[in-house]
Amino acid sequence: MGKIYGYIQYDSESDRVLQKAAIDKFVKDKYKEMSTEIEYLEEEVKPYISWKNRKLGKELLPKLEKGDVVVVSESKRLGSSSPEIDLFLMYATDKGAEVYEARLNTKISGY
């Protein structure tokens, strides 16, 4: 397994804290046998801003490698519309990364 990235897109501090708690719990539950370190990428940005114009597209996506894991609290944090979210998931999958939605405890990318 590669690195684990937690992505948080928030509007308020309380929103940020809730998302981080959901991601922390998911990673702890899923990888309990392993000592896991989460590299967080947090940004206070409006949800209608395209992922291409956020740290998500400019910083995280370019450094993703095969075996990496991206965890978000909810899939809606990845983009402003379903097609945009799907496009991010396609790019992440093409790089060999997996994307999980913490609150649903489910993988939302991949084959």
Side-chain angles (χ1 to χ4, degrees):
M1 186 178 78
K3 291 184 176 182
I4 298 177
Y5 297 98
Y7 177 71
I8 298 175
Q9 172 269 315
Y10 64 97
D11 292 328
S12 67
E13 182 61 20
S14 61
D15 187 28
R16 187 192 74 75
V17 169
L18 288 172
Q19 287 183 57
K20 187 172 187 308
I23 293 168
D24 285 344
K25 181 181 182 327
F26 172 82
V27 171
K28 182 181 176 197
D29 291 348
K30 181 161 180 64
Y31 302 104
K32 45 186 148 249
E33 306 88 39
M34 302 166 53
S35 169
T36 53
E37 192 172 313
I38 305 168
E39 184 176 322
Y40 276 97
L41 184 65
E42 302 179 10
E43 57 186 334
E44 187 173 9
V45 64
K46 298 296 181 195
Y48 56 79
I49 304 295
S50 171
W51 61 263
K52 297 171 191 168
N53 296 322
R54 299 188 211 166
K55 291 178 183 178
L56 183 62
K58 294 179 177 180
E59 293 177 26
L60 182 58
L61 192 61
K63 68 180 173 182
L64 283 181
E65 296 179 353
K66 184 175 178 74
D68 286 348
V69 172
V70 178
V71 183
V72 292
S73 62
E74 304 163 281
S75 60
K76 71 179 186 177
R77 304 297 176 172
L78 295 172
S80 59
S81 65
S82 291
E84 187 170 270
I85 292 167
D86 290 344
L87 192 58
F88 175 83
L89 294 173
M90 181 188 76
Y91 285 135
T93 300
D94 285 351
K95 292 187 125 205
E98 295 180 342
V99 184
Y100 289 88
E101 184 170 342
R103 291 196 175 146
L104 291 180
N105 195 26
T106 190
K107 183 177 169 185
I108 57 173
S109 70
Y111 305 109

